[in-house]
């Protein structure tokens, strides 16, 4: 009998640690986006190609029916290159290679990505960032931060709210830029970036 | 006991529910199509004439300096070579004779080797460390008429476009795919970004034809420079070039090192 009491206590403790504080978190819409970059002139290779607003991340975080002061959220982006297909950790996944040259596939770090919104809520706002390896993460709004309520138009807003009522804080425009240079083998390559929204626990 | 099991199941269910942390995700897939761009610009005339109507021109030859300017832009590692070609009127390795000037002497030879044309490139080949031939490029100075040299003789390969071998001459890069920069290729880049007074992506080409007197074209040699192809060596003593009008063309080939 004592054994079951102990088990129950442990499980309840675990439940308490994993308690949810928010009613709902969502990216709207959360459908996948595809960006295609074609490099077919010397100008493209030299100057790079930029796509502004390749995706827009609209965040909705709802509090519980009885508001919980610990309802906070964080948002990050993670790069992936389908390593299961044998892609080296630091390279784009090769879909097709033109010719038989010996040059390597492009490095992941030629993809530059920028996050911006009107309130500049992310510490990364407005500056192109790069990844190095598959699985690398860049935090747009970091985890474990104290509450910064919506409506403050300050850095790291992470309280409940949504893009309808606080558009400048809950909307993130994503820009990408790629300047490959002349080091890499011609071909068709692919890379994925996952935007992950989660409530703080 | 049954109550204990039920309570355990209830707690487990609560725990599972409590761990259903709120998450949402969105994916952006970036596809990049890197198409190879190899661009060879020639801003100079594509017609060059050599008229030999003075004795000193036969002795000293005629040189056309910087008659061709070659500018390279490439997004991939590359090689550049020149190859002599003709329409094959007199054979695939000879100039096309358009007119002969009424000479029926049996020693007057109408088959002039394409390799009699000499090239000189403005700067050395920076991607030919692995070359094994006597002459890796066309950068050596034109040799005086008294000392024949195969160093500038145009690469010819039976009238074909086939790339030169490791023993032959390239303007830039060379045969092979070592993958080591400087050994057998020039890395991708462009003349547009040069910031010194020379560039591996910019070449001025001088042309010389030296008939000699009698006109035997002593500088003509085979592709690797090991054997001369002048009129006397090929046809025997007493032979000379038949007067007339001849044409041929030089094909510059820029290709990915692969």
């Amino acid at each position: 009998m004592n054994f079951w009491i102990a088990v129950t206590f442990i499980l309840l403790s675990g439940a308490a640690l994993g308690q949810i504080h928010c009613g709902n978190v969502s990216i709207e819409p959360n459908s996948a986006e595809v960006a295609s970059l074609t490099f077919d002139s010397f100008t493209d290779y030299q100057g790079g190609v930029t796509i502004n607003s390749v995706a827009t991340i609209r965040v909705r975080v709802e509090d519980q029916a009885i508001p919980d002061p610990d309802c906070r959220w964080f948002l990050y982006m993670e790069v992936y290159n389908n390593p299961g297909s044998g892609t080296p950790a630091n390279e784009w996944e090769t879909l097709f290679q033109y010719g038989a040259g010996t040059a390597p596939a492009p490095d992941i770090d030629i993809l530059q990505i920028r996050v911006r919104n009107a309130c500049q809520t992310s510490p990364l706002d407005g500056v192109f960032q790069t990844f190095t390896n598959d699985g690398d993460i860049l935090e747009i709004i970091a985890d474990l931060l104290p509450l910064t309520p919506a409506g403050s138009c300050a850095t790291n807003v992470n309280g409940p709210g949504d893009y309808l009522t606080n558009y400048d804080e809950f909307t993130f425009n994503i820009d990408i830029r790629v300047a490959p240079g002349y080091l890499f083998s011609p071909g068709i390559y692919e890379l994925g970036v996952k935007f992950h929204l989660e409530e703080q626990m | 006991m049954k109550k204990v099991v039920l309570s355990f199941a209830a707690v487990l269910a609560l725990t599972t529910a409590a761990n259903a942390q709120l998450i949402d995700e969105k994916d952006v897939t970036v596809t990049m199509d890197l198409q190879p761009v190899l661009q060879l610009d020639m801003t100079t005339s594509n017609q060059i004439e050599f008229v030999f109507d003075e004795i000193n021109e036969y002795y000293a030859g005629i040189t056309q300096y910087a008659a061709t300017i070659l500018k390279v832009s490439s997004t991939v590692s590359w090689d550049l070579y020149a190859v002599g070609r003709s329409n094959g009127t007199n054979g695939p390795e000879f100039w096309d004779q358009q007119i002969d000037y009424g000479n029926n002497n049996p020693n007057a030879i109408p088959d002039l080797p394409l390799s009699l044309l000499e090239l000189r490139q403005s700067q050395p080949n920076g991607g030919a460390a692995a070359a094994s031939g006597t002459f890796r490029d066309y950068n050596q100075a034109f040799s005086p008429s008294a000392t024949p040299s195969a160093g500038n003789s145009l690469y010819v390969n039976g009238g074909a476009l086939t790339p030169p071998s490791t023993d032959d001459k390239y303007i830039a890069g060379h045969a092979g795919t070592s993958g080591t920069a400087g050994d057998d290729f020039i890395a991708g880049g462009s003349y547009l970004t040069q910031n010194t007074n020379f560039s591996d992506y910019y070449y001025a080409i001088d042309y010389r034809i030296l008939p000699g007197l009698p006109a035997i074209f002593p500088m003509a040699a085979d592709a690797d420079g090991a054997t001369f192809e002048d009129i006397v060596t090929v046809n025997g003593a007493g032979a000379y070039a038949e007067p007339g009008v001849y044409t041929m063309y030089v094909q510059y080939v820029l290709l990915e090192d692969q």
Side-chain angles (χ1 to χ4, degrees), chain A residues 4 18 22 27 29-31 33 35 37 39-40 42 45 80 98 100 186-187 189 191 193 195-199 201, chain B residues 4 8 11 18-19 21-35 75-76 188-190 193 258:
Chain A
W4 287 111
C22 300
I27 296 173
N30 62 1
S31 53
E33 308 275 356
L37 306 171
F39 295 83
D40 57 4
F42 196 76
Y45 276 90
Y80 56 92
Y98 299 132
Y189 302 93
L191 206 57
V193 179
F195 292 87
H196 179 99
L197 173 67
E198 185 174 340
E199 69 165 333
M201 296 303 286
Chain B
V4 171
F8 175 71
V11 169
N19 279 327
Q21 192 174 359
L22 299 173
I23 293 173
D24 198 7
E25 292 186 339
K26 180 184 178 78
D27 290 272
V28 176
T29 302
V30 183
T31 302
M32 178 169 64
D33 185 3
L34 293 181
Q35 299 181 5
T75 62
V76 295
S190 172
T193 58
Q258 61 182 7

Side-chain angles (χ1 to χ4, degrees), chain A residues 150-192:
Chain A
S152 58
C153 201
T155 304
N156 290 321
V157 167
N158 61 355
D162 64 64
Y163 62 93
L164 294 174
T165 51
N166 296 97
Y167 184 88
D168 294 343
E169 298 168 339
F170 286 81
T171 301
F172 299 89
N173 289 309
I174 308 301
D175 310 327
I176 59 172
R177 181 170 69 187
V178 177
Y182 319 114
L183 299 175
F184 307 115
S185 180
I188 302 175
Y189 302 93
E190 189 170 278
L191 206 57

Side-chain angles (χ1 to χ4, degrees), chain A residues 19-35:
Chain A
Q19 185 180 358
I20 60 173
H21 300 287
C22 300
N24 185 38
V25 302
S26 61
I27 296 173
E28 298 177 1
N30 62 1
S31 53
E33 308 275 356
V34 176

Side-chain angles (χ1 to χ4, degrees), chain A residues 64-76:
Chain A
Q64 303 211 54
I66 300 173
D68 185 333
D70 286 330
C71 176
R72 292 166 290 163
W73 54 275
F74 62 96
L75 175 66
Y76 66 77

Side-chain angles (χ1 to χ4, degrees), chain B residues 138-206:
Chain B
Y138 299 96
N139 186 238
Q140 41 280 335
F142 289 128
S143 180
S145 57
T147 53
S149 167
N152 300 88
S153 172
L154 176 62
Y155 165 73
V156 179
N157 188 14
L161 195 58
T162 318
S165 72
T166 53
D167 290 337
D168 307 333
K169 305 184 193 84
Y170 278 75
I171 295 173
H174 221 276
T177 53
S178 68
T180 304
D183 273 5
D184 52 31
F185 67 86
I186 302 291
S190 172
Y191 70 95
L192 292 167
T193 58
Q194 66 177 0
N195 53 16
T196 60
N197 61 351
F198 66 93
S199 167
D200 286 330
Y201 306 88
Y202 183 101
Y203 296 91
I205 305 292
D206 308 332

